Amino acid sequence: LGNNQISNALSISYAMGDFDISIGGTQVEDDSEGMEDYKRTVNEASLNYNMNDNCSVGIKYATDDNGGEEEAKYMWMTLSVTP
């Protein structure tokens, strides 16, 4: 973060057996001259499932308003394998 920038973040995680659930959000504000009204908000949620000791699959959903009116939405899936 630069000068006059404030970041607030909150994240909640819960694990139950083979499932992990996580929800989080971040908000950035800039109080620099000419940027007093700038706010950017990012939210994300994820769900992971551990298939065995070395393999898991997950899905993540995120939104980002990029500091403007229009919100960008992202969703992706991950497969993790460790030797």
Side-chain angles (χ1 to χ4, degrees):
L1 294 175
N3 292 336
N4 298 323
Q5 290 184 335
I6 302 166
S7 178
N8 299 309
L10 174 67
S11 180
I12 299 170
S13 298
Y14 180 74
M16 179 179 61
D18 291 334
F19 288 98
D20 297 326
I21 300 170
S22 177
I23 299 172
T26 302
Q27 183 180 50
V28 176
E29 297 179 36
D30 192 338
D31 290 334
S32 299
E33 186 174 330
M35 298 289 289
E36 291 86 0
D37 294 331
Y38 177 81
K39 285 187 180 180
R40 182 175 184 176
T41 304
V42 177
N43 297 302
E44 64 179 53
S46 66
L47 174 64
N48 295 303
Y49 175 69
N50 297 318
M51 298 193 298
N52 57 36
D53 290 342
N54 63 348
C55 184
S56 67
V57 65
I59 190 165
K60 185 173 270 194
Y61 176 77
T63 62
D64 183 354
D65 69 5
N66 293 313
E69 296 282 327
E70 192 171 324
E71 186 173 71
K73 298 176 183 176
Y74 308 95
M75 183 180 285
W76 64 96
M77 190 171 202
T78 58
L79 175 64
S80 301
V81 179
T82 55

